[in-house]
Amino acid sequence: MAGGHSGWGMAQLIGQGFLLLPLAAPLTVGLAQFSIQRAGGDEPGAGEIFGFFGQMPRLVTVFLIQILLVYLGLMLLVQPAISLNVAYLYSTRPYG
């Protein structure tokens, strides 16, 4: 391929994302909890950020459901848009 890019780039990114999900999910929730406590005027410790690793299976499941729902929403949004675009294209085409 031109430019030295392989066709596996997107698959690699998705694979890396799924491999890092067990680490990213608890850290994301911990950082959100830390930020909420900080915004509320409390002084949270660093343990707040790392305190959600005990709930990793539940958090990974929720994150996977969230990812699937986002992709489903995008498919439901993009596919009708393409269909309407094609229908509009053919409805304005001059006949003769």
Side-chain angles (χ1 to χ4, degrees), residues 11-87:
Q12 252 182 334
L13 286 174
I14 292 171
Q16 289 172 355
F18 280 114
L19 286 176
L20 292 176
L21 189 60
L23 179 64
L27 286 176
T28 301
V29 174
L31 187 59
Q33 180 69 24
F34 180 88
S35 300
I36 290 169
Q37 287 182 357
R38 181 85 174 157
D42 294 339
E43 289 294 328
E48 292 294 328
I49 297 174
F50 302 105
F52 288 91
F53 278 95
Q55 299 177 13
M56 188 184 311
R58 183 184 310 168
L59 292 175
V60 169
T61 303
V62 168
F63 272 59
L64 286 174
I65 291 170
Q66 177 186 1
I67 291 168
L68 290 174
L69 289 175
V70 167
Y71 283 135
L72 177 67
L74 285 173
M75 287 188 318
L76 291 175
L77 176 71
V78 171
Q79 194 278 330
I82 293 172
S83 298
L84 289 173
N85 190 16
V86 169

Side-chain angles (χ1 to χ4, degrees), residues 1-9:
M1 299 193 107
H5 295 288
S6 69
W8 290 99

